[in-house]
Amino acid sequence: RMQNQEVDWRNALGCGIAGAGVALLPDLLEPAVSPKHRKIAHSVTTAGLLLYSARKNWDSNETNPEQKATWTSLIAAYLSHLAADSSTPAGLPLV
């Protein structure tokens, strides 16, 4: 709708599934086998690098608006996992 186009619900469903998969990625990379499983994939540093990547992507003239939106959505999905983990007593490590 941001691009004044009709919503493609199949595409929206696919994006939702992809987002859910990406949101699970930190735990796939670092399974919760112990209470201290959070390392680089669950870190403030990774969150910062992803935010930096999203900003560089938006500033790029080489990517089209659809690619920018897709990349930003996938980063937001990953960051949603980190945000949820940061609210637990264990929090997120710096690195």
Side-chain angles (χ1 to χ4, degrees):
R1 291 192 183 249
M2 292 185 320
Q3 299 173 356
N4 294 325
Q5 296 177 354
E6 190 63 32
V7 175
D8 178 353
W9 292 107
R10 254 186 353 180
N11 187 32
L13 178 62
C15 289
I17 291 169
V22 172
L24 294 173
L25 193 56
D27 282 340
L28 295 174
L29 296 171
E30 296 172 349
V33 293
S34 75
K36 299 189 185 241
H37 75 281
R38 295 179 184 165
K39 295 185 176 137
I40 191 70
H42 284 88
S43 71
V44 173
T45 303
T46 297
L49 289 171
L50 288 171
L51 288 170
Y52 176 77
S53 173
R55 179 64 190 189
K56 293 302 270 183
N57 181 50
W58 275 99
D59 290 342
S60 173
N61 293 328
E62 297 177 16
T63 54
N64 65 47
E66 186 174 308
Q67 291 169 323
K68 290 177 182 188
T70 300
W71 185 243
T72 302
S73 297
L74 294 176
I75 288 174
Y78 194 102
L79 291 176
S80 71
H81 182 110
L82 297 186
D85 281 353
S86 71
S87 67
T88 66
L92 294 179
L94 184 59
V95 176

